[in-house]
Structures are given as structure tokens and as C-alpha cells.
Amino acid sequence: QPQVVESGGGLVQPGGSLRLSCTASGLTLDYYAIGWLRQAPGKEREGISYIKSTGGSSDGAAHFAESVKGRFAISRDSAKNTVYLDMNSLKPEDSAVYYCAVGPWGGFDDADFDYWGRGTQVTVSA
């Protein structure tokens, strides 16, 4: 069974930056779309970004939800089998558990993904 693992969460002040990493065993991430979704207490999980696969007919494009557009970036390091989510200009409302998910095409919904990490906590607070 493939395993997906997130890392890099923590406490950061408003306006600060944080980089989350997603790696996997048993999966070559380049062949899949990778998504980042988050869930704040009392709220539904929200898809915030995904990057399409780099193989075949896929264009490898990155997509962002309006809530993070212009502040977050997503990228791949194929050699490390890792996908990063760079988060800048963080706001308290960005506080949530962030999940990395792996799927065939990507999207902003849970159903777009087949494999999930356990999540990493991000807290934005002074």
C-alpha cells in the first residue's frame, strides 16, 4: 500500500512563510496529480491547490483556489519524489490541518484523490 507523508507544518506569525513537503513511498509522484487540501476546526475540507502530472498528455499545470491565489505556490522535485507547497503572506484564517493527496487528474474535491497523507498542522498566530 502506498504511503503519503506530509511534513513542514508548524506555528508561524501572520505575514510569515512556511513550506510544506509531500513525499510518498510506493508511488512515483511525477506520474500523478498532487493536491493540497486543508481542514480548519468546524469546517469542511477545502482543496487549495493541485499540480497535474508531468507524464503523457498532462500539461503539469498548477491550479489554486481563490483563497490562496497569489500567496501560495506548488512545485515538484522529481529527484526527491517530493511536492512542495510554499505558503507566503500567511493569515490566521490559513490555520488548518493540511493534507497531501495523490490522484490521476487532480481537482479541488476529496473524490479527485485516491491516496492521502495524515496531515500536518499549520497554525498562524501572533
Side-chain angles (χ1 to χ4, degrees):
Q1 182 73 9
Q3 287 193 324
V4 179
V5 179
E6 309 92 340
S7 61
L11 174 65
V12 62
Q13 292 187 341
S17 299
L18 210 56
R19 166 177 267 196
L20 303 184
S21 300
C22 173
T23 190
S25 58
L27 292 171
T28 300
L29 295 184
D30 278 358
Y31 300 158
Y32 296 89
I34 310 301
W36 286 96
L37 305 92
R38 67 185 183 186
Q39 188 167 25
K43 294 188 176 181
E44 291 188 355
R45 189 150 52 194
E46 170 194 21
I48 57 170
S49 180
Y50 68 95
I51 186 168
K52 292 187 175 182
S53 71
T54 57
S57 60
S58 177
D59 60 5
H63 299 264
F64 299 92
E66 285 299 323
S67 58
V68 304
K69 194 173 290 185
R71 299 188 298 123
F72 290 13
I74 189 169
S75 61
R76 295 181 181 270
D77 185 332
S78 301
K80 295 183 178 180
N81 199 35
T82 299
V83 172
Y84 300 105
L85 183 69
D86 288 297
M87 306 186 295
N88 301 301
S89 302
L90 283 162
K91 306 173 183 179
E93 51 263 44
D94 292 318
S95 298
V97 177
Y98 282 70
Y99 297 89
C100 176
V102 180
W105 308 114
F108 291 112
D109 296 327
D110 286 11
D112 293 320
F113 300 99
D114 301 317
Y115 304 106
W116 291 79
R118 293 186 174 184
T120 185
Q121 176 71 47
V122 172
T123 303
V124 185
S125 174

